[in-house]
Amino acid sequence: MTNWSPREMEIDFSFLPEGNFTLQAYQDGLNADRMGSDYRMTKTQVNRGTKLKISLAPGGGWAGRITQ
């Protein structure tokens, strides 16, 4: 999802309809810049007002799945 430059991003969930949703995300772990298999899975509640800040490691990525 990113090149070899680390970066910070903010995801705006305003595209969601009204209601509460569960976000299951896979994101870079602390050593992801040295070990590609270092990741962590998180679950959190989101809604259309949520803004989530994520950090991408060099060569890293982020993926999420939203369910109701």
Side-chain angles (χ1 to χ4, degrees):
M1 184 166 168
T2 189
N3 58 17
W4 296 109
S5 299
R7 67 189 75 221
E8 302 270 327
M9 295 179 65
E10 183 175 84
I11 300 174
D12 182 348
F13 289 90
S14 62
F15 63 88
L16 291 172
E18 290 293 328
N20 293 311
F21 299 86
T22 300
L23 169 67
Q24 182 175 350
Y26 296 87
Q27 57 196 50
D28 295 329
L30 292 175
N31 299 306
D33 59 335
R34 294 183 303 261
M35 184 173 32
S37 61
D38 184 15
Y39 70 93
R40 62 184 175 140
M41 190 273 293
T42 61
K43 281 189 179 183
T44 187
Q45 296 295 308
V46 296
N47 59 43
R48 66 179 306 143
T50 302
K51 293 184 193 256
L52 179 67
K53 291 186 180 186
I54 62 171
S55 298
L56 299 174
W62 183 94
R65 185 178 116 179
I66 300 169
T67 56
Q68 201 166 27

